[in-house]
Amino acid sequence: MKALAAVAVVVVGGYLGATVVTGNKIAAAYDARAEKLEKQFPFVRVVHRQAEKGMFSSTYSGKLRIGCAPAAGAGGEAAKAGKTLDIGFRDRVLAGPLPGFSTIGAAVIESEVVLPDEVPEGVRKYLAGMKPQDIRTVVGYGGDYNTRVRLPGGDIALPTGKLTWPDVHLSGAGNFDGGAFTFDGTLPELAFVGAEKGGKSTLDVKLAKLRWQGTSLPADSFWLRPGTSTLDIERLEVLANAGGKPVSAQIGKFKYLAEVKADKDLLDAKAAFTADATLRIGEEAKPIQLDNFEFQESLKHLHGPTLQKVLEASMAQLSSTCEGGKVSQEDAAALGLEMMRTLAQLLPHAPEISVDKLAVTYEGQRGEMSFSASAPGLTAEDVEEPVVMKAKLHANMLVKASARLPVAWVQLLGERSGDPAGAPQRVAQAHSMVDLAVGKGFAVRDGEFLASTVVLEKGAVLLNGKPMSEGK
């Protein structure tokens, strides 16, 4: 028995020691995260922080102050401009190695959010009714964390209408050291019924099956992290009244992708989405069906360190403003000039902006457009002098644009852009304009399509492969 008692003392003592160690680690992590948050977001401050530490659990509370507080003694417009929003939080931390005896790890954190009086009452009551287990984070010994959030289904009455939804589930995983993290969220349905006016709802919105997920990779900068983010929506329906006419829209198969890639110091960013849509204006109007709508834009060869300088300068200025600093017109002009000089340092890396594709199928016919602009060949020395930089930009600017549109769209535009009686005349005028554009060389016929390309290179313009002459 004595031996068993001795073993029990050792086990309990070891557990208590481990609990103290992990509790201290979590406390240090809280301090580090608060400091990092305020450094990354000058308009966010952690205020009214409190800590109640115990052997097996601790409670950390405080408020996130968002915005810039007015300077001491400020009144009138200055006081209005300095309005802030305080969002309260309360985290109950169960220390490991067996936090709450529900799992194995360094800690389990159960979080609560308290909204200020400025937020609509329905929203405040909803969050106040959530259970601590609805926002739960499990922390591992290596600093890794896994957060699960459940937003219970409910409804909220707003001044403009009523919002309803079923349970929403969100999750995120990463490491407190700022390494890679992933996130995922699902919203089965969201419905909004607008306030009635004249016996009818002003706006009805229904969203079905939303999924949001992504991954962010490690990087020195919080703002310039490589990664991907996707958003899928099965269906979005909107019904509204515009000038007494009912307007409806249905958007389906919506897919959005945002992606940032890094190659050493250079970043490439891309955003793209696809969708189908049906639009109707008026009860008896024929629906406008847009199929396989595609849009993709890109930013290439962005110099990360230069962008970081711009961000740091912007944040420093914002921080100074939040701390009550005043900026004269002369200082603002100087800051703007310095910002432009810093941005000019992007040019030697040949950045490019482009709309890679803008395409849609309408009435069985597909049209496409694209555009790109860059200025390759500039050096670091070129951007030192504004006059030299301007001349080099003019000489090196490279712009490309192209379009390929169905001729049938011209007919449809004439038929549907006004009253039926005037349709024949409008159609004839539209075809005359097409013939004029082809005759002047602005467009060329490619079977059942009208095509056009424009290239600006070294100060010269090529229109459909031919030099653009004066007078066209």
Side-chain angles (χ1 to χ4, degrees):
M1 292 294 293
K2 291 183 178 180
L4 290 175
V7 170
V9 169
V10 171
V11 171
V12 171
Y15 181 81
L16 294 177
T19 300
V20 171
V21 171
T22 55
N24 290 335
K25 286 184 177 180
I26 295 299
Y30 260 88
D31 293 337
R33 294 294 286 179
E35 181 181 355
K36 193 172 184 178
L37 178 69
E38 294 180 352
K39 186 176 294 184
Q40 292 170 344
F41 302 95
F43 48 86
V44 177
R45 289 288 183 271
V46 183
V47 298
H48 305 304
R49 292 179 62 188
Q50 293 182 343
E52 301 174 7
K53 298 182 180 181
M55 178 65 70
F56 298 104
S57 67
S58 299
T59 301
Y60 299 88
S61 60
K63 293 182 178 180
L64 292 180
R65 176 162 293 169
I66 303 174
C68 298
E77 294 300 321
K80 293 179 181 178
K83 190 174 182 180
T84 61
L85 181 70
D86 287 358
I87 299 177
F89 67 88
R90 184 176 183 272
D91 290 343
R92 181 169 178 252
V93 181
L94 306 174
L98 297 173
F101 297 97
S102 61
T103 186
I104 298 176
V108 166
I109 304 173
E110 296 175 346
S111 303
E112 298 177 68
V113 178
V114 180
L115 297 178
D117 293 339
E118 295 94 319
V119 176
E121 182 180 11
V123 180
R124 285 188 282 114
K125 285 185 176 179
Y126 170 76
L127 278 184
M130 290 179 60
K131 300 176 182 178
Q133 296 84 358
D134 287 336
I135 306 178
R136 191 171 189 266
T137 300
V138 177
V139 182
Y141 284 102
D144 55 297
Y145 64 87
N146 192 306
T147 299
R148 292 286 184 270
V149 178
R150 171 185 169 270
L151 300 177
D155 58 76
I156 293 178
L158 301 171
T160 54
K162 185 177 181 180
L163 191 66
T164 60
W165 67 95
D167 283 6
V168 180
H169 294 277
L170 309 170
S171 65
N175 197 290
F176 286 125
D177 65 3
F181 67 88
T182 60
F183 51 88
D184 192 299
T186 57
L187 173 61
E189 185 176 287
L190 181 70
F192 176 80
V193 178
E196 290 190 359
K197 185 177 181 181
K200 293 183 178 180
S201 171
T202 54
L203 175 67
D204 291 348
V205 180
K206 186 174 182 180
L207 181 150
K209 294 186 179 179
L210 179 148
R211 175 81 183 274
W212 177 43
Q213 56 186 339
T215 300
S216 181
L217 301 178
D220 294 334
S221 170
F222 172 84
W223 302 97
L224 304 175
R225 297 172 67 105
T228 59
S229 176
T230 62
L231 176 68
D232 294 337
I233 299 175
E234 182 179 279
R235 188 177 69 259
L236 175 65
E237 300 175 0
V238 180
L239 179 63
N241 279 290
K245 290 185 178 181
V247 178
S248 65
Q250 292 187 7
I251 300 174
K253 301 177 183 178
F254 180 91
K255 295 182 179 295
Y256 173 81
L257 166 68
E259 183 178 58
V260 177
K261 294 182 178 180
D263 182 6
K264 297 181 180 178
D265 285 340
L266 297 181
L267 301 174
D268 289 348
K270 178 178 73 174
F273 71 84
T274 61
D276 295 333
T278 303
L279 310 176
R280 185 196 294 267
I281 302 175
E283 290 181 343
E284 300 181 359
K286 182 179 179 180
I288 300 173
Q289 181 66 41
L290 305 176
D291 296 319
N292 194 19
F293 185 93
E294 291 184 82
F295 175 80
Q296 179 176 309
E297 64 177 345
S298 300
L299 292 169
K300 300 176 182 177
H301 308 143
L302 301 179
H303 189 234
T306 298
L307 290 177
Q308 185 64 29
K309 287 181 183 179
V310 174
L311 289 169
E312 289 174 353
S314 300
M315 290 299 163
Q317 176 57 33
L318 185 57
S319 179
S320 175
T321 303
C322 280
E323 291 170 0
K326 294 183 178 180
V327 180
S328 65
Q329 291 185 348
E330 293 79 7
D331 290 341
L335 288 170
L337 182 59
E338 183 60 30
M339 189 75 73
M340 293 302 297
R341 287 174 177 169
T342 304
L343 283 170
Q345 296 174 17
L346 294 170
L347 295 174
H349 303 280
E352 178 182 319
I353 181 172
S354 64
V355 175
D356 306 310
K357 177 182 285 190
L358 175 59
V360 66
T361 298
Y362 175 55
E363 293 289 344
Q365 301 285 334
R366 189 160 184 80
E368 294 189 9
M369 302 175 66
S370 64
F371 167 85
S372 67
S374 62
L378 272 74
T379 65
E381 290 75 18
D382 293 334
V383 301
E384 290 296 326
E385 293 293 335
V387 175
V388 175
M389 180 180 67
K390 185 176 180 179
K392 286 279 189 177
L393 274 174
H394 183 267
N396 292 37
M397 182 64 69
L398 176 61
V399 177
K400 297 179 181 180
S402 67
R404 190 170 184 269
L405 306 176
V407 177
W409 284 6
V410 178
Q411 179 87 12
L412 292 170
L413 179 64
E415 291 175 349
R416 301 179 182 180
S417 59
D419 62 286
Q425 183 179 358
R426 291 194 304 272
V427 170
Q429 290 174 342
H431 281 296
S432 296
M433 293 179 64
V434 169
D435 293 339
L436 179 62
V438 173
K440 287 285 189 178
F442 294 123
V444 296
R445 283 187 177 271
D446 180 11
E448 297 300 316
F449 292 85
L450 287 174
S452 183
T453 61
V454 178
V455 178
L456 167 63
E457 187 173 14
K458 297 181 179 179
V461 178
L462 292 178
L463 178 60
N464 297 316
K466 299 178 180 180
M468 189 171 181
S469 60
E470 295 292 333
K472 279 199 174 182

PDB file of all heavy atoms in Angstrom, residues 73-105:
ATOM      1  N   GLY A  73      -9.067  65.034 -25.196  1.00  0.00           N
ATOM      2  CA  GLY A  73      -9.628  66.374 -25.292  1.00  0.00           C
ATOM      3  C   GLY A  73     -10.225  66.698 -26.638  1.00  0.00           C
ATOM      4  O   GLY A  73     -10.730  67.805 -26.840  1.00  0.00           O
ATOM      5  N   ALA A  74     -10.209  65.756 -27.574  1.00  0.00           N
ATOM      6  CA  ALA A  74     -10.758  66.024 -28.904  1.00  0.00           C
ATOM      7  C   ALA A  74     -12.273  66.121 -28.824  1.00  0.00           C
ATOM      8  O   ALA A  74     -12.917  65.457 -28.038  1.00  0.00           O
ATOM      9  CB  ALA A  74     -10.355  64.913 -29.868  1.00  0.00           C
ATOM     10  N   GLY A  75     -12.826  66.960 -29.653  1.00  0.00           N
ATOM     11  CA  GLY A  75     -14.266  67.119 -29.690  1.00  0.00           C
ATOM     12  C   GLY A  75     -14.747  67.359 -31.104  1.00  0.00           C
ATOM     13  O   GLY A  75     -13.950  67.449 -32.042  1.00  0.00           O
ATOM     14  N   GLY A  76     -16.049  67.471 -31.275  1.00  0.00           N
ATOM     15  CA  GLY A  76     -16.606  67.754 -32.590  1.00  0.00           C
ATOM     16  C   GLY A  76     -16.296  66.675 -33.601  1.00  0.00           C
ATOM     17  O   GLY A  76     -16.422  65.490 -33.334  1.00  0.00           O
ATOM     18  N   GLU A  77     -15.880  67.104 -34.817  1.00  0.00           N
ATOM     19  CA  GLU A  77     -15.597  66.179 -35.907  1.00  0.00           C
ATOM     20  C   GLU A  77     -14.440  65.244 -35.571  1.00  0.00           C
ATOM     21  O   GLU A  77     -14.418  64.086 -35.979  1.00  0.00           O
ATOM     22  CB  GLU A  77     -15.291  66.955 -37.194  1.00  0.00           C
ATOM     23  CG  GLU A  77     -16.472  67.744 -37.733  1.00  0.00           C
ATOM     24  CD  GLU A  77     -17.652  66.836 -38.059  1.00  0.00           C
ATOM     25  OE1 GLU A  77     -17.431  65.725 -38.574  1.00  0.00           O
ATOM     26  OE2 GLU A  77     -18.793  67.241 -37.785  1.00  0.00           O
ATOM     27  N   ALA A  78     -13.439  65.750 -34.818  1.00  0.00           N
ATOM     28  CA  ALA A  78     -12.281  64.911 -34.465  1.00  0.00           C
ATOM     29  C   ALA A  78     -12.713  63.727 -33.600  1.00  0.00           C
ATOM     30  O   ALA A  78     -12.230  62.612 -33.763  1.00  0.00           O
ATOM     31  CB  ALA A  78     -11.229  65.746 -33.731  1.00  0.00           C
ATOM     32  N   ALA A  79     -13.654  63.992 -32.686  1.00  0.00           N
ATOM     33  CA  ALA A  79     -14.133  62.916 -31.825  1.00  0.00           C
ATOM     34  C   ALA A  79     -14.915  61.890 -32.624  1.00  0.00           C
ATOM     35  O   ALA A  79     -14.800  60.684 -32.417  1.00  0.00           O
ATOM     36  CB  ALA A  79     -15.006  63.492 -30.713  1.00  0.00           C
ATOM     37  N   LYS A  80     -15.725  62.367 -33.596  1.00  0.00           N
ATOM     38  CA  LYS A  80     -16.490  61.439 -34.435  1.00  0.00           C
ATOM     39  C   LYS A  80     -15.563  60.576 -35.268  1.00  0.00           C
ATOM     40  O   LYS A  80     -15.782  59.394 -35.455  1.00  0.00           O
ATOM     41  CB  LYS A  80     -17.444  62.215 -35.336  1.00  0.00           C
ATOM     42  CG  LYS A  80     -18.563  62.921 -34.584  1.00  0.00           C
ATOM     43  CD  LYS A  80     -19.461  63.681 -35.553  1.00  0.00           C
ATOM     44  CE  LYS A  80     -20.567  64.408 -34.806  1.00  0.00           C
ATOM     45  NZ  LYS A  80     -21.428  65.185 -35.736  1.00  0.00           N
ATOM     46  N   ALA A  81     -14.501  61.209 -35.807  1.00  0.00           N
ATOM     47  CA  ALA A  81     -13.577  60.472 -36.671  1.00  0.00           C
ATOM     48  C   ALA A  81     -12.802  59.418 -35.893  1.00  0.00           C
ATOM     49  O   ALA A  81     -12.304  58.452 -36.464  1.00  0.00           O
ATOM     50  CB  ALA A  81     -12.606  61.446 -37.342  1.00  0.00           C
ATOM     51  N   GLY A  82     -12.713  59.604 -34.562  1.00  0.00           N
ATOM     52  CA  GLY A  82     -11.929  58.679 -33.756  1.00  0.00           C
ATOM     53  C   GLY A  82     -12.752  57.608 -33.077  1.00  0.00           C
ATOM     54  O   GLY A  82     -12.304  57.038 -32.095  1.00  0.00           O
ATOM     55  N   LYS A  83     -13.949  57.347 -33.551  1.00  0.00           N
ATOM     56  CA  LYS A  83     -14.810  56.357 -32.909  1.00  0.00           C
ATOM     57  C   LYS A  83     -14.225  54.961 -33.040  1.00  0.00           C
ATOM     58  O   LYS A  83     -13.694  54.595 -34.076  1.00  0.00           O
ATOM     59  CB  LYS A  83     -16.202  56.404 -33.532  1.00  0.00           C
ATOM     60  CG  LYS A  83     -17.224  55.581 -32.769  1.00  0.00           C
ATOM     61  CD  LYS A  83     -18.615  55.772 -33.339  1.00  0.00           C
ATOM     62  CE  LYS A  83     -19.638  54.976 -32.546  1.00  0.00           C
ATOM     63  NZ  LYS A  83     -21.007  55.148 -33.087  1.00  0.00           N
ATOM     64  N   THR A  84     -14.348  54.164 -31.979  1.00  0.00           N
ATOM     65  CA  THR A  84     -13.820  52.795 -31.976  1.00  0.00           C
ATOM     66  C   THR A  84     -14.939  51.807 -31.645  1.00  0.00           C
ATOM     67  O   THR A  84     -16.011  52.186 -31.176  1.00  0.00           O
ATOM     68  CB  THR A  84     -12.687  52.635 -30.950  1.00  0.00           C
ATOM     69  OG1 THR A  84     -13.201  52.919 -29.638  1.00  0.00           O
ATOM     70  CG2 THR A  84     -11.530  53.578 -31.258  1.00  0.00           C
ATOM     71  N   LEU A  85     -14.624  50.532 -31.885  1.00  0.00           N
ATOM     72  CA  LEU A  85     -15.547  49.450 -31.567  1.00  0.00           C
ATOM     73  C   LEU A  85     -14.798  48.449 -30.698  1.00  0.00           C
ATOM     74  O   LEU A  85     -13.755  47.928 -31.096  1.00  0.00           O
ATOM     75  CB  LEU A  85     -16.054  48.780 -32.842  1.00  0.00           C
ATOM     76  CG  LEU A  85     -17.062  47.640 -32.664  1.00  0.00           C
ATOM     77  CD1 LEU A  85     -18.391  48.197 -32.175  1.00  0.00           C
ATOM     78  CD2 LEU A  85     -17.253  46.901 -33.989  1.00  0.00           C
ATOM     79  N   ASP A  86     -15.321  48.184 -29.504  1.00  0.00           N
ATOM     80  CA  ASP A  86     -14.695  47.236 -28.574  1.00  0.00           C
ATOM     81  C   ASP A  86     -15.440  45.907 -28.591  1.00  0.00           C
ATOM     82  O   ASP A  86     -16.632  45.855 -28.280  1.00  0.00           O
ATOM     83  CB  ASP A  86     -14.701  47.792 -27.147  1.00  0.00           C
ATOM     84  CG  ASP A  86     -13.701  48.924 -26.966  1.00  0.00           C
ATOM     85  OD1 ASP A  86     -12.994  49.234 -27.943  1.00  0.00           O
ATOM     86  OD2 ASP A  86     -13.642  49.497 -25.866  1.00  0.00           O
ATOM     87  N   ILE A  87     -14.731  44.842 -28.967  1.00  0.00           N
ATOM     88  CA  ILE A  87     -15.315  43.496 -28.978  1.00  0.00           C
ATOM     89  C   ILE A  87     -14.669  42.695 -27.855  1.00  0.00           C
ATOM     90  O   ILE A  87     -13.446  42.494 -27.842  1.00  0.00           O
ATOM     91  CB  ILE A  87     -15.081  42.803 -30.331  1.00  0.00           C
ATOM     92  CG1 ILE A  87     -15.756  43.604 -31.449  1.00  0.00           C
ATOM     93  CG2 ILE A  87     -15.609  41.377 -30.306  1.00  0.00           C
ATOM     94  CD1 ILE A  87     -15.530  43.036 -32.820  1.00  0.00           C
ATOM     95  N   GLY A  88     -15.480  42.251 -26.911  1.00  0.00           N
ATOM     96  CA  GLY A  88     -14.949  41.541 -25.758  1.00  0.00           C
ATOM     97  C   GLY A  88     -14.703  40.064 -26.039  1.00  0.00           C
ATOM     98  O   GLY A  88     -15.349  39.457 -26.895  1.00  0.00           O
ATOM     99  N   PHE A  89     -13.730  39.491 -25.343  1.00  0.00           N
ATOM    100  CA  PHE A  89     -13.467  38.053 -25.444  1.00  0.00           C
ATOM    101  C   PHE A  89     -13.160  37.492 -24.056  1.00  0.00           C
ATOM    102  O   PHE A  89     -12.685  38.196 -23.162  1.00  0.00           O
ATOM    103  CB  PHE A  89     -12.290  37.769 -26.398  1.00  0.00           C
ATOM    104  CG  PHE A  89     -10.953  38.268 -25.897  1.00  0.00           C
ATOM    105  CD1 PHE A  89     -10.145  37.469 -25.088  1.00  0.00           C
ATOM    106  CD2 PHE A  89     -10.506  39.531 -26.235  1.00  0.00           C
ATOM    107  CE1 PHE A  89      -8.922  37.917 -24.631  1.00  0.00           C
ATOM    108  CE2 PHE A  89      -9.277  39.994 -25.778  1.00  0.00           C
ATOM    109  CZ  PHE A  89      -8.477  39.192 -24.974  1.00  0.00           C
ATOM    110  N   ARG A  90     -13.463  36.226 -23.898  1.00  0.00           N
ATOM    111  CA  ARG A  90     -13.178  35.522 -22.642  1.00  0.00           C
ATOM    112  C   ARG A  90     -12.781  34.103 -23.001  1.00  0.00           C
ATOM    113  O   ARG A  90     -13.570  33.344 -23.548  1.00  0.00           O
ATOM    114  CB  ARG A  90     -14.400  35.524 -21.726  1.00  0.00           C
ATOM    115  CG  ARG A  90     -14.171  34.886 -20.356  1.00  0.00           C
ATOM    116  CD  ARG A  90     -15.426  35.031 -19.497  1.00  0.00           C
ATOM    117  NE  ARG A  90     -15.208  34.492 -18.160  1.00  0.00           N
ATOM    118  CZ  ARG A  90     -15.414  33.218 -17.832  1.00  0.00           C
ATOM    119  NH1 ARG A  90     -15.828  32.352 -18.746  1.00  0.00           N
ATOM    120  NH2 ARG A  90     -15.206  32.812 -16.582  1.00  0.00           N
ATOM    121  N   ASP A  91     -11.537  33.749 -22.709  1.00  0.00           N
ATOM    122  CA  ASP A  91     -11.010  32.423 -23.021  1.00  0.00           C
ATOM    123  C   ASP A  91     -10.748  31.655 -21.725  1.00  0.00           C
ATOM    124  O   ASP A  91      -9.979  32.115 -20.868  1.00  0.00           O
ATOM    125  CB  ASP A  91      -9.698  32.524 -23.813  1.00  0.00           C
ATOM    126  CG  ASP A  91      -9.918  33.026 -25.221  1.00  0.00           C
ATOM    127  OD1 ASP A  91     -11.071  32.991 -25.676  1.00  0.00           O
ATOM    128  OD2 ASP A  91      -8.950  33.470 -25.864  1.00  0.00           O
ATOM    129  N   ARG A  92     -11.368  30.512 -21.601  1.00  0.00           N
ATOM    130  CA  ARG A  92     -11.088  29.621 -20.479  1.00  0.00           C
ATOM    131  C   ARG A  92     -10.116  28.556 -20.964  1.00  0.00           C
ATOM    132  O   ARG A  92     -10.432  27.787 -21.867  1.00  0.00           O
ATOM    133  CB  ARG A  92     -12.373  28.970 -19.964  1.00  0.00           C
ATOM    134  CG  ARG A  92     -12.142  28.048 -18.763  1.00  0.00           C
ATOM    135  CD  ARG A  92     -13.460  27.645 -18.131  1.00  0.00           C
ATOM    136  NE  ARG A  92     -13.256  26.730 -17.017  1.00  0.00           N
ATOM    137  CZ  ARG A  92     -13.551  25.428 -17.031  1.00  0.00           C
ATOM    138  NH1 ARG A  92     -14.104  24.892 -18.116  1.00  0.00           N
ATOM    139  NH2 ARG A  92     -13.324  24.669 -15.978  1.00  0.00           N
ATOM    140  N   VAL A  93      -8.937  28.530 -20.372  1.00  0.00           N
ATOM    141  CA  VAL A  93      -7.866  27.636 -20.797  1.00  0.00           C
ATOM    142  C   VAL A  93      -7.731  26.488 -19.809  1.00  0.00           C
ATOM    143  O   VAL A  93      -7.443  26.698 -18.618  1.00  0.00           O
ATOM    144  CB  VAL A  93      -6.523  28.390 -20.904  1.00  0.00           C
ATOM    145  CG1 VAL A  93      -5.420  27.441 -21.363  1.00  0.00           C
ATOM    146  CG2 VAL A  93      -6.641  29.557 -21.870  1.00  0.00           C
ATOM    147  N   LEU A  94      -7.964  25.279 -20.294  1.00  0.00           N
ATOM    148  CA  LEU A  94      -7.776  24.074 -19.484  1.00  0.00           C
ATOM    149  C   LEU A  94      -6.387  23.529 -19.793  1.00  0.00           C
ATOM    150  O   LEU A  94      -6.098  23.153 -20.931  1.00  0.00           O
ATOM    151  CB  LEU A  94      -8.850  23.036 -19.826  1.00  0.00           C
ATOM    152  CG  LEU A  94     -10.298  23.525 -19.728  1.00  0.00           C
ATOM    153  CD1 LEU A  94     -11.266  22.456 -20.235  1.00  0.00           C
ATOM    154  CD2 LEU A  94     -10.637  23.909 -18.302  1.00  0.00           C
ATOM    155  N   ALA A  95      -5.521  23.516 -18.807  1.00  0.00           N
ATOM    156  CA  ALA A  95      -4.122  23.152 -19.031  1.00  0.00           C
ATOM    157  C   ALA A  95      -3.942  21.651 -19.157  1.00  0.00           C
ATOM    158  O   ALA A  95      -4.675  20.852 -18.552  1.00  0.00           O
ATOM    159  CB  ALA A  95      -3.253  23.692 -17.902  1.00  0.00           C
ATOM    160  N   GLY A  96      -2.940  21.245 -19.978  1.00  0.00           N
ATOM    161  CA  GLY A  96      -2.611  19.843 -20.183  1.00  0.00           C
ATOM    162  C   GLY A  96      -1.731  19.304 -19.058  1.00  0.00           C
ATOM    163  O   GLY A  96      -1.451  19.998 -18.091  1.00  0.00           O
ATOM    164  N   PRO A  97      -1.304  18.063 -19.167  1.00  0.00           N
ATOM    165  CA  PRO A  97      -1.321  17.220 -20.371  1.00  0.00           C
ATOM    166  C   PRO A  97      -2.657  16.534 -20.683  1.00  0.00           C
ATOM    167  O   PRO A  97      -2.825  15.978 -21.747  1.00  0.00           O
ATOM    168  CB  PRO A  97      -0.246  16.178 -20.088  1.00  0.00           C
ATOM    169  CG  PRO A  97      -0.225  16.057 -18.593  1.00  0.00           C
ATOM    170  CD  PRO A  97      -0.524  17.421 -18.072  1.00  0.00           C
ATOM    171  N   LEU A  98      -3.611  16.579 -19.756  1.00  0.00           N
ATOM    172  CA  LEU A  98      -4.950  16.038 -20.015  1.00  0.00           C
ATOM    173  C   LEU A  98      -5.960  17.153 -19.774  1.00  0.00           C
ATOM    174  O   LEU A  98      -6.680  17.157 -18.771  1.00  0.00           O
ATOM    175  CB  LEU A  98      -5.236  14.841 -19.104  1.00  0.00           C
ATOM    176  CG  LEU A  98      -4.345  13.611 -19.280  1.00  0.00           C
ATOM    177  CD1 LEU A  98      -4.648  12.575 -18.188  1.00  0.00           C
ATOM    178  CD2 LEU A  98      -4.550  12.997 -20.658  1.00  0.00           C
ATOM    179  N   PRO A  99      -5.997  18.156 -20.647  1.00  0.00           N
ATOM    180  CA  PRO A  99      -6.855  19.323 -20.406  1.00  0.00           C
ATOM    181  C   PRO A  99      -8.325  18.949 -20.318  1.00  0.00           C
ATOM    182  O   PRO A  99      -8.895  18.402 -21.260  1.00  0.00           O
ATOM    183  CB  PRO A  99      -6.584  20.215 -21.622  1.00  0.00           C
ATOM    184  CG  PRO A  99      -6.048  19.290 -22.677  1.00  0.00           C
ATOM    185  CD  PRO A  99      -5.309  18.230 -21.948  1.00  0.00           C
ATOM    186  N   GLY A 100      -8.932  19.214 -19.168  1.00  0.00           N
ATOM    187  CA  GLY A 100     -10.332  18.879 -18.959  1.00  0.00           C
ATOM    188  C   GLY A 100     -10.600  17.394 -18.979  1.00  0.00           C
ATOM    189  O   GLY A 100     -11.750  16.965 -19.013  1.00  0.00           O
ATOM    190  N   PHE A 101      -9.509  16.590 -18.999  1.00  0.00           N
ATOM    191  CA  PHE A 101      -9.612  15.128 -19.084  1.00  0.00           C
ATOM    192  C   PHE A 101     -10.464  14.697 -20.283  1.00  0.00           C
ATOM    193  O   PHE A 101     -11.162  13.683 -20.248  1.00  0.00           O
ATOM    194  CB  PHE A 101     -10.180  14.546 -17.779  1.00  0.00           C
ATOM    195  CG  PHE A 101      -9.289  14.793 -16.601  1.00  0.00           C
ATOM    196  CD1 PHE A 101      -9.534  15.864 -15.751  1.00  0.00           C
ATOM    197  CD2 PHE A 101      -8.182  13.995 -16.359  1.00  0.00           C
ATOM    198  CE1 PHE A 101      -8.706  16.115 -14.668  1.00  0.00           C
ATOM    199  CE2 PHE A 101      -7.349  14.237 -15.270  1.00  0.00           C
ATOM    200  CZ  PHE A 101      -7.606  15.304 -14.424  1.00  0.00           C
ATOM    201  N   SER A 102     -10.391  15.498 -21.360  1.00  0.00           N
ATOM    202  CA  SER A 102     -11.167  15.189 -22.560  1.00  0.00           C
ATOM    203  C   SER A 102     -10.279  14.867 -23.756  1.00  0.00           C
ATOM    204  O   SER A 102     -10.757  14.326 -24.753  1.00  0.00           O
ATOM    205  CB  SER A 102     -12.069  16.372 -22.925  1.00  0.00           C
ATOM    206  OG  SER A 102     -11.288  17.532 -23.201  1.00  0.00           O
ATOM    207  N   THR A 103      -8.992  15.205 -23.670  1.00  0.00           N
ATOM    208  CA  THR A 103      -8.073  14.938 -24.777  1.00  0.00           C
ATOM    209  C   THR A 103      -6.649  15.008 -24.232  1.00  0.00           C
ATOM    210  O   THR A 103      -6.435  15.258 -23.051  1.00  0.00           O
ATOM    211  CB  THR A 103      -8.271  15.968 -25.920  1.00  0.00           C
ATOM    212  OG1 THR A 103      -7.468  15.590 -27.038  1.00  0.00           O
ATOM    213  CG2 THR A 103      -7.875  17.366 -25.469  1.00  0.00           C
ATOM    214  N   ILE A 104      -5.673  14.766 -25.108  1.00  0.00           N
ATOM    215  CA  ILE A 104      -4.264  14.869 -24.724  1.00  0.00           C
ATOM    216  C   ILE A 104      -3.669  16.056 -25.468  1.00  0.00           C
ATOM    217  O   ILE A 104      -3.799  16.168 -26.687  1.00  0.00           O
ATOM    218  CB  ILE A 104      -3.500  13.589 -25.083  1.00  0.00           C
ATOM    219  CG1 ILE A 104      -4.073  12.387 -24.310  1.00  0.00           C
ATOM    220  CG2 ILE A 104      -2.016  13.747 -24.792  1.00  0.00           C
ATOM    221  CD1 ILE A 104      -3.442  11.067 -24.680  1.00  0.00           C
ATOM    222  N   GLY A 105      -3.011  16.944 -24.743  1.00  0.00           N
ATOM    223  CA  GLY A 105      -2.407  18.094 -25.395  1.00  0.00           C
ATOM    224  C   GLY A 105      -1.958  19.105 -24.377  1.00  0.00           C
ATOM    225  O   GLY A 105      -2.061  18.898 -23.155  1.00  0.00           O
TER     226      GLY A 105
END
